Amino acid sequence: MTITVIRNADYVVAWDAAKNSHTYVTGGDVAFDGGQIVFAGRDYQGEAVTTIDGRGFMVMPGLVDIHSHPSSEPLNKGFLDEIGSPGLYNSSLYEYMPILRSDPEGVPDCVRVAYSELLLSGVTTVVDLSMPHPQWLDLAGQSGLRVYIAPGFRSARWFTPNGTLVDYEWNEKAGEDGMLQAFALIDAAESHPSGRLSGMMYPAQIDTCTPQLMKDSYAEAKRRGIPWQTHAAQSVSEFHEIVRRHGVTPIQWLGELGVLGPTSLVGHSIFVDDHPLTPWHTKRDLALLAETGTTVAHCPTVFMRRGIALRDVGRYRAAGISVAIGTDTYPHNMIEEMRNVTMTSRLMAGHPRGLNSTMLFEAATTVGAKALGRDDIGRLEAGCKADFVMVDVTHPMMQPHRDPIRSMIYAAAERAVRHVYVDGRQVVKDGVVQTFDYPAAALRVHEAQIRAEERTPGLDWAGRKLTEISPLSFPLAWPSNE
């Protein structure tokens, strides 16, 4: 027996099976044996080898991040914060994101930074949507996170020759070869000795994959019993491209391909047929997502920066659509992302009644877990994985803590996260990541960005330097030579 019990926590966000919902248990206990929870409630009477004082803490289930890009996004900090292509409906996908890319040396540190930020913000399970890189599985295993490896593959790359047109360079064999490589990586992940790695099928974008690649990857995901995710309805340019090619919206095209369903996730599903920026003659997209049981992977922060927003989460939920949350961009801060979900939803709805903290917390826990086909994460209940977070309710930013989940989401965010456990192992202690040297990795990402900046003119369609595309907030005052 190796049972550990957290006793007398101010709050335990426990799972109430009878009500099928989270519930606050005051003065609660959480007991776990190795990687499994054996008790979550009040007045644990069993034996325990180790006891942890829970006074001053809220114990909550670890958060489930359904959509993230750890190998690339940390490098974009300070570059993509304020720019979007005016000739491409303010998206940054086609003109700017392809020109600042890490070299192979910098990728592992991008991953270390992103994984660390996720842990510090209470994430215990993450879907890592990345292009394959050599150290991926080792880093995922080392992180202590529960990681869904989702190797990206596609039949074409996009580019802009002039800042107003999106063009595509097609290589169908590369897409097919990439899918085979993804199969092998997923096999390796699922046999990883950590026991915490799983796989997800990820044809990268609806507009960069042939119809056959989409269908074949979905069929293979179904055969393996794993989730499937792609990007769709994420830009106005993409919406028009799919309409031009197929005569239907991106969501309807996925429906015609037969790849929507309970095991499918679509990031980001913003530009549906009744969005104000893409008015279309049909009004079927939301109903189609709901009828098929498809999950929307919602990541507002990256779009907020460009003045773009989904309209709105409360409306999607009212239509019967499952909406889970991902970080997508830097900072990989899930609690800040949750706050942005509710704020953008209210702004787009024009009122505060469509989405509340109950729905928001479910989206970040049980809805994400269900999209992954799991009922053993995202909740604190006997038999579930021992993936949980201890939040310091005595932190000044948590005061008053009449409703601690709200205080965390709307005020304290990651500042009050003190301890994080995954599979019963402590991976954050006193606010410090135990599995990586986060500060050192962050410094190395800075160096990787400097190297990437030097390559920018050769990748930009107009040959511009990075400072021409994204000027510094203030000019540099160079030392005088006198």
Side-chain angles (χ1 to χ4, degrees):
M1 183 183 71
T2 59
I3 293 178
T4 299
V5 59
I6 303 168
R7 289 198 182 275
N8 301 315
D10 285 23
Y11 301 89
V12 173
V13 184
W15 185 252
D16 186 329
K19 295 181 179 178
N20 196 38
S21 69
H22 300 291
T23 188
Y24 283 139
V25 176
T26 57
D29 304 332
V30 175
F32 58 99
D33 188 356
Q36 187 175 69
I37 294 172
V38 297
F39 180 88
R42 188 178 288 113
D43 196 22
Y44 173 68
Q45 296 295 317
E47 297 183 21
V49 172
T50 304
T51 299
I52 298 172
D53 186 359
R55 288 175 296 180
F57 288 98
M58 172 176 66
V59 185
M60 70 177 198
L63 304 176
V64 179
D65 182 340
I66 208 71
H67 185 109
S68 190
H69 300 290
S71 64
S72 58
E73 279 298 318
L75 200 76
N76 289 324
K77 187 186 297 182
F79 168 52
L80 288 181
D81 314 78
E82 299 174 351
I83 58 174
S85 300
L88 294 168
Y89 306 96
N90 295 319
S91 175
S92 63
L93 287 171
Y94 313 103
E95 184 173 16
Y96 301 132
M97 292 188 72
I99 66 173
L100 191 71
R101 281 288 178 260
S102 177
D103 54 22
E105 181 184 350
V107 168
D109 286 309
C110 286
V111 175
R112 292 184 183 101
V113 165
Y115 283 172
S116 295
E117 291 176 350
L118 290 167
L119 286 167
L120 291 169
S121 65
V123 170
T124 55
T125 298
V126 61
V127 174
D128 183 341
L129 302 155
S130 291
M131 302 308 290
H133 54 92
Q135 297 184 44
W136 194 356
L137 300 190
D138 290 339
L139 289 166
Q142 184 185 348
S143 72
L145 283 158
R146 201 172 297 283
V147 181
Y148 276 75
I149 298 294
F153 51 91
R154 58 186 185 175
S155 315
R157 74 171 186 92
W158 59 40
F159 65 95
T160 178
N162 55 15
T164 58
L165 171 71
V166 178
D167 210 341
Y168 296 82
E169 182 179 81
W170 290 90
N171 185 337
E172 293 187 19
K173 186 176 186 304
E176 294 162 1
D177 291 346
M179 183 169 62
L180 294 177
Q181 183 183 12
F183 295 166
L185 269 170
I186 289 170
D187 287 339
E190 294 180 342
S191 62
H192 192 270
S194 71
R196 289 179 283 96
L197 308 190
S198 304
M200 176 180 285
M201 204 63 67
Y202 170 43
Q205 298 98 10
I206 188 175
D207 51 332
T208 63
C209 293
T210 63
Q212 195 61 49
L213 193 69
M214 298 291 273
K215 291 191 285 189
D216 288 348
S217 63
Y218 182 75
E220 180 65 13
K222 294 283 283 186
R223 188 188 73 80
R224 290 170 175 253
I226 63 174
W228 180 95
Q229 182 166 185
T230 193
H231 291 84
Q234 66 171 333
S235 77
V236 176
S237 295
E238 175 224 277
F239 182 95
H240 291 316
E241 177 68 19
I242 296 301
V243 165
R244 183 187 64 79
R245 291 182 197 173
H246 307 296
V248 293
T249 69
I251 299 302
Q252 290 166 30
W253 178 237
L254 291 176
E256 291 188 10
L257 291 173
V259 298
L260 298 179
T263 60
S264 299
L265 299 99
V266 180
H268 301 273
S269 299
I270 296 171
F271 294 106
V272 293
D273 53 9
D274 67 345
H275 192 281
L277 295 180
T278 53
W280 191 239
H281 65 88
T282 65
K283 298 292 180 285
R284 296 198 296 114
D285 285 3
L286 294 192
L288 182 57
L289 289 168
E291 290 163 6
T292 56
T294 301
T295 298
V296 168
H298 181 42
C299 315
T301 302
V302 69
F303 295 97
M304 287 170 55
R305 290 182 180 140
R306 334 252 175 255
I308 298 168
L310 178 147
R311 186 182 73 92
D312 58 88
V313 176
R315 190 173 75 98
Y316 278 48
R317 280 184 54 96
I321 299 168
S322 293
V323 179
I325 299 173
T327 51
D328 191 276
T329 188
Y330 63 91
H332 289 77
N333 187 322
M334 186 67 162
I335 305 174
E336 280 193 2
E337 198 80 40
M338 292 165 70
R339 183 191 307 151
N340 288 339
V341 168
T342 189
M343 296 304 186
T344 55
S345 182
R346 293 171 186 178
L347 281 169
M348 293 299 284
H351 62 78
R353 292 174 292 281
L355 183 67
N356 60 33
S357 52
T358 303
M359 302 170 185
L360 191 60
F361 195 73
E362 289 171 349
T365 55
T366 53
V367 177
K370 184 179 180 182
L372 298 175
R374 305 187 68 150
D375 61 5
D376 62 342
I377 59 174
R379 63 182 72 182
L380 298 184
E381 183 182 30
C384 290
K385 297 294 186 182
D387 298 358
F388 59 88
V389 180
M390 297 181 69
V391 178
D392 180 6
V393 296
T394 71
H395 191 285
M397 290 291 287
M398 288 291 291
Q399 305 303 320
H401 57 80
R402 169 185 175 270
D403 189 328
I405 289 295
R406 287 183 189 165
S407 293
M408 180 186 72
I409 294 171
Y410 295 114
E414 85 290 351
R415 290 178 286 262
V417 172
R418 299 302 298 163
H419 312 299
V420 179
Y421 290 75
V422 181
D423 221 26
R425 174 193 176 199
Q426 188 167 15
V427 288
V428 173
K429 182 178 181 181
D430 294 322
V432 177
V433 176
Q434 301 297 292
T435 53
F436 292 131
D437 187 340
Y438 171 41
L443 288 173
R444 291 193 295 269
V445 169
H446 173 70
E447 297 300 322
Q449 190 185 69
I450 292 172
R451 297 194 301 272
E453 184 170 356
E454 295 170 355
R455 299 189 297 273
T456 299
L459 299 172
D460 177 53
W461 68 269
R464 293 167 293 184
K465 295 180 180 179
L466 195 64
T467 50
E468 295 177 78
I469 298 170
S470 179
L472 299 177
S473 298
F474 305 104
L476 289 170
W478 294 104
S480 171
N481 293 324
E482 297 178 1

